[in-house]
Amino acid sequence: MSFTGKYQLQSQENFEPFMKALGLPDDQIQKGKDLKSTTEIVQDGKKFTVTVTTGTKVMKNEFTIGEESEIELMTGEKAKALVQMEGNNKLIANVKGMKSVTELNGDTITHTMTLGDVTCKRVSKRI
């Protein structure tokens, strides 16, 4: 199953508490909570390029399954991450104490991020 495509954010749960747990300032959280981000994923075998556009902010990360890569977090900070694939439709990464699971089901991507006891769930549809 290929992740390649463009996805528009449809819904999110626990965005504000999760962003607070990450350490984002309130003004940034307020600006970001109502913006519908677009995620473009290009998959070439085990190599991925993920570009997330939220308003005027563009965050681009490239990684290869099973290899350590440097990725940019939502805070703008860069950190080392190892992304693994489970089955053919689930990407799992652990970055700085945060667990990120991205699951593709048909035309829907569910991205679940957990930091401590706070979980944020974002659902995007292919456009």
Side-chain angles (χ1 to χ4, degrees):
M1 187 176 293
S2 176
F3 281 80
T4 297
K6 257 190 174 175
Y7 303 87
Q8 178 87 48
L9 181 67
Q10 300 294 309
S11 65
Q12 55 189 5
E13 297 166 18
N14 275 348
F15 178 79
E16 291 179 67
F18 184 79
M19 293 302 149
K20 270 192 196 326
L22 275 181
L24 254 76
D26 285 345
D27 63 323
Q28 274 189 295
I29 294 170
Q30 291 309 312
K31 272 191 231 164
K33 73 174 184 160
D34 297 321
L35 293 173
K36 294 286 188 204
S37 63
T38 303
T39 303
E40 185 172 4
I41 301 174
V42 177
Q43 179 182 356
D44 180 12
K46 291 183 172 210
K47 285 186 190 242
F48 283 77
T49 302
V50 180
T51 308
V52 181
T53 306
T54 309
T56 57
K57 185 176 187 329
V58 178
M59 190 171 72
K60 183 176 180 179
N61 285 309
E62 295 181 18
F63 59 87
T64 302
I65 300 298
E67 292 179 17
E68 191 176 66
S69 322
E70 186 175 76
I71 63 164
E72 183 182 346
L73 304 175
M74 284 182 260
T75 56
E77 183 182 358
K78 294 199 182 288
K80 295 272 185 216
L82 181 65
V83 182
Q84 300 287 5
M85 188 176 265
E86 194 175 279
N88 66 351
N89 70 328
K90 196 184 282 189
L91 300 173
I92 300 170
N94 287 292
V95 191
K96 295 196 72 164
M98 176 183 80
K99 182 175 184 181
S100 167
V101 178
T102 304
E103 189 169 1
L104 176 65
N105 285 308
D107 284 337
T108 304
I109 279 190
T110 304
H111 186 199
T112 308
M113 297 167 285
T114 306
L115 185 64
D117 59 358
V118 184
T119 298
C120 175
K121 183 176 172 184
R122 304 183 67 172
V123 179
S124 300
K125 289 246 187 252
R126 194 184 297 261
I127 50 174

